[in-house]
Amino acid sequence: MREVDPRTKFSRRFLLKAAAAAVPTAAIVSATGLSIDDAWAEGGVLEPSTMKTLVKVARDIYPHDFLGDVYYIAAIKPWNDKAAADPQVKAMLEDGVRRLDQDAKDRHKTTYADLGWEDDRVALLRGVQHTDFFNKVRSDLVVSLYNQKELWPKFGYEGSSAEHGGYLTRGFNDIDWLPKA
Amino acid sequence: MAQFGQNDDSVVVIIGSGAGGGTLGNELAQKGVKVVILEAGPRTEIQDFVNDEWESFSQLAWTDARVSSGSWRVAHDFPNLPAWIVKSVGGSTTHWAGASLRFEEHEFKVASAYGGLHGANLLDWPITKADLDLWYEKAENKLGVTRTNKIPGLPGNNNFKVMEAGARKLGYKEVHTGRMAINSEPRDGRGACQQIGFCFQGCKSGAKWSTLYTEIPEGEKTGNLEVRPNSHVAKIEHDQTGKVSGVVYFDEKGVEQRQKARIVCVAGNSIESPRILLNSASNMFPDGLANSSGQVGRNYMRHMTGSVYGVFEKPVHMYRGTTMAGIIRDESRNDPSRGFLGGYEMETLSLGVPFMAAFLNPGGWGRTFTSAMEAYPRMAGMWLVGEDMPQETNRITLDAEVKDKHGLPVANVHYDDHPNDIAMRNHAYRQGAAVYEAVGATVTYPTPPYPSTHNMGTNRMSEKARDGVVNKFGQTHDIPNLFVSDGSQFTSGAACNPTLTIVALAIRQADHIATAMQRRDI
C-alpha cells in the first residue's frame, strides 16, 4: 500500500502567516521550534499572556502530541484581530482566561498555563465547557486547526487530488491486508 | 441561448435547477416548450470546483439563514445549518454522491404495508412502482447508472473493500459497488471516473451526472431554455381566477424582478419549495399557495441517518476514490421482527480531515476525540440511510423573527425523531459496527446525523386533495398551472437515496405538462 509521508513540508506563506512579523527570521527558519512566547513578542490587542494561555487551551482541547505549537498558534492567532475589531470578543476572551487562571489559583495555586498536568487543566476546562467562551473557542478551533493543509499529511490525508489525476493510479484500491472473502 | 422577455406569459417558469428543476427544464425544452429556470445561486462550473471541503462548502452550499428546532440532534449541533444542500446552478446534483436506486414496491404504499403507526402520518402514494418503472428506466439511461443498461459497476476502492469483506463475513448477500450515476466508462461525452474523491465538492472530471453539465446545456442548445442564475425567488403571483401568473424574484443586484408565466414549477428542494408557497400567501390564499389541505410544509422527512467509522490496525485511506463506493442492501427490506418498520441501506462514506473533525462527534474534544482523529488513515466509514416516518408535526414553517437579506421570512425546520427512526438507527449502528468488527476493527464510532442532505415530503403527493398538496403528476390540487417538481412531492421517503426518483418523476411530469399544454388543458 502507498502510505502518506507525514514529514512536515512548510510553505513559506504558512510560516509567515503563523509567525507573522513578530518573530525573527531565524525563528521562522526553524519554525517547528517556534515557541509560544516568541509568537506573541509583538503583541496585539490581547496581552501576550492571554494569547499564551489560549494556545495552551487550544492544545488541551485538541491534544495532538505530534503537532508542534506552530499549528496551535496559527489556529489561535486570528482571535487577536477579532478582539481588535470587537470589544465584546476581547472581553469574552480576557474574562475566559481570567476565570481559568482564577480556578487554577484556587485549586492549584498557579496559573492555567503553568499547571503541569494536562488532566488538571482539562478538569478546569470541564468547569467552563458550557460557557460562551469555551464554545466559541472550541467551535472556531475545530476549523482553524484541522483546516490547516500543512498538518493534513500528519493525519495521513492527502488533500486535493484532481490535479494529480485522482487516485486511479495512485492507490485507490491498494489495500493488501484484508482476509480473503 | 434563449432569452425570454419578462412579459412573455407563454413560458414555463421553473424555480430551481437541480435534479428536479434541471431535468424538467431540459425535458420540456426538448419538446419545444419555452422554459425559464430561476436559480437562486451562481453558475459555478467544473473548472471552478475545488478539492477542499471548507472552501467548496463556501462556494456551493446554501448558507443563507435558516433556523431549526425539535429533538433531532442536528438542531443542537448545527442550529443554523439544518440541511447541507446547494445554492448553485445544478443544485444538489453538484454535491450528491451519485447513488441511484429505485424504490421498492411496498415503499409506494406505506399506509397499507406498515399499517397504523402511532404518530406517523402514513399515506400510500397515488402511483405504484409499476407506474414509475418505465420512467425509472428512462432516468437510469439518462444518468448512465452503473449496473443498468449494460454499464459495468465501478471498481471498488479501499473503503469499499473493507466494508465488503466485513459484510461477507457477516453473511450479507447483496453487496456491490452500487448503482451509481458515475461513469465507469466514457458515456454521453463525459469520461470515466478518475477516483478523485471529493464527490461532494463537485466532480472535477464530470464523470458524475449533474444537471449543471448535462441537462442544462442540452436544454440551452435547443434555444428553448434560459437559465437565470442569482435569481432568488420571493413569491409566486396569481390572477383573479386563482391561477398562477408569474414569479417575483430578486436579481444579483438585489433588484426586484417579475417574470410572467403560463405555468410555474417549484423545484427548490423540500425546505425552500414550501417556504416559497407559504411566502406567496395572498388575500385569496391566506395560508399560502396550494395549501387548502394545510399540508404545505408538513411531513418533512430527512431519512434516518448516522455513520459508523471503524478503526483498524493497518491503513485504509478511505478518502481515496469514489466517496460512496459501495453498498450493503440486505437491511433495506421491511422486516418488523428487527423492531422497526421499513429498512435501511449501508453505503460507504468518507470525509476529509477537516470535515471529519467537524462531524465525527460535534462538540467533542479532549483525548477521546483526538485519538479518533489520529486514527484517520486507518479508518473505514459507512453512512446509514433508511426510511424515516412522515409526521405532520415535522414541518417547514416561516420563522416569525429571522429574515433573509431580501427581508423574506426564513424557513424553520422542525424535526423530532419518531421512535421507529431511533430503533432503526440503533439497529443500524450495531450492524455497521459488526461489519467492521468482523474484519478486525479495534474501535468503532457511531457518528450522529449530519445536516440533512435528503430533504423530502413537504408538498406530498396524494390521491385526495384533503390529504396532500399535489396529485400523481406533481400538479397542485388547488391550482392547475402550479406544479411541484422536486423531492417535496414524496409521500414517503423509502430507504434509498432520493435522486433517481426525483429525476424519474421530473421526466414523467414533463411528458404530462407538454401533453396538457398541447391540449390547451393548462
Side-chain angles (χ1 to χ4, degrees), chain A residues 1-4 59-66 72 118 122-123 125-126 129 134 138 142-143 146-149 151-152 154-163 165-181, chain B residues 50-55 155-159 161-162 164-165 168-169 193-198 204 312-317 319-322 351-354 357-358 362-367 369-371 373-377 438-439:
Chain A
M1 292 183 73
R2 183 175 66 78
E3 301 209 25
V4 180
R59 183 180 282 285
D60 291 337
I61 292 175
Y62 295 124
H64 292 291
D65 302 341
F66 58 51
Y72 295 98
E118 180 185 304
V122 165
L125 287 179
R126 287 202 197 291
Q129 71 174 337
F134 182 87
R138 190 209 60 76
V142 79
V143 178
Y146 293 107
N147 204 33
Q148 296 177 41
K149 289 184 172 67
L151 60 70
W152 292 346
K154 292 183 179 295
F155 290 86
Y157 179 56
E158 297 171 84
S160 181
S161 90
E163 68 273 32
Y167 291 104
L168 195 56
T169 58
R170 296 192 310 130
F172 84 102
N173 62 351
D174 66 355
I175 196 162
D176 56 8
W177 53 263
L178 284 168
K180 293 274 173 278
Chain B
V50 284
N51 280 185
D52 181 308
E53 291 176 314
W54 282 119
E55 195 184 336
N157 66 2
N158 291 343
N159 200 21
K161 287 180 169 184
V162 174
E164 182 190 32
R168 299 284 178 216
K169 282 227 170 187
C193 175
Q194 302 299 299
Q195 299 290 336
I196 292 169
F198 297 99
K204 288 291 283 180
F312 298 86
E313 291 174 80
K314 292 181 178 172
V316 177
H317 302 298
Y319 58 86
R320 290 182 187 166
T322 321
L351 299 176
V353 161
W365 59 281
R367 292 234 170 231
F369 182 86
T370 52
S371 160
M373 287 303 298
E374 290 180 10
Y376 181 80
V439 278

Side-chain angles (χ1 to χ4, degrees), chain B residues 229-231 250-255 405:
Chain B
N230 302 303
S231 301
F250 292 98
D251 68 15
E252 189 168 9
K253 297 186 179 114
V255 178
K405 66 176 176 182

Side-chain angles (χ1 to χ4, degrees), chain B residues 315-495:
Chain B
V316 177
H317 302 298
M318 64 174 170
Y319 58 86
R320 290 182 187 166
T322 321
T323 304
M324 203 160 273
I327 190 166
I328 303 170
R329 303 211 63 192
D330 296 60
E331 300 287 0
S332 66
R333 70 194 191 281
N334 176 37
D335 173 6
S337 74
R338 291 172 299 180
F340 55 89
L341 295 163
Y344 63 90
E345 317 276 359
M346 305 159 99
E347 302 172 344
T348 76
L349 186 81
S350 66
L351 299 176
V353 161
F355 274 15
M356 185 57 77
F359 294 116
L360 174 70
N361 183 19
W365 59 281
R367 292 234 170 231
T368 310
F369 182 86
T370 52
S371 160
M373 287 303 298
E374 290 180 10
Y376 181 80
R378 293 176 284 114
M379 234 179 226
M382 70 168 76
W383 194 49
L384 308 161
V385 53
E387 179 163 15
D388 61 336
M389 293 298 128
Q391 300 178 72
E392 266 202 320
T393 48
N394 285 349
R395 63 188 292 204
I396 310 304
T397 52
L398 299 177
D399 193 79
E401 285 156 27
V402 185
K403 306 258 195 297
D404 70 9
K405 66 176 176 182
H406 305 297
L408 304 167
V410 307
N412 174 294
V413 182
H414 181 93
Y415 190 90
D416 298 311
D417 286 311
H418 190 279
N420 196 76
D421 308 340
I422 294 168
M424 184 190 289
R425 182 179 292 116
N426 289 337
H427 189 274
Y429 276 150
R430 281 197 299 276
Q431 291 308 112
V435 165
Y436 290 139
E437 282 159 4
V439 278
T442 55
V443 189
T444 59
Y445 295 106
T447 291
Y450 311 127
S452 311
T453 49
H454 298 174
N455 298 276
M456 302 168 292
T458 50
N459 295 302
R460 60 157 42 170
M461 250 189 209
S462 65
E463 184 73 48
K464 297 182 181 121
R466 64 164 188 265
D467 295 331
V469 180
V470 300
N471 70 13
K472 63 183 177 180
F473 292 109
Q475 185 175 27
T476 61
H477 289 301
D478 298 350
I479 304 175
N481 66 338
L482 175 62
F483 287 76
V484 174
S485 316
D486 57 20
S488 67
Q489 298 173 83
F490 286 18
T491 314
S492 63

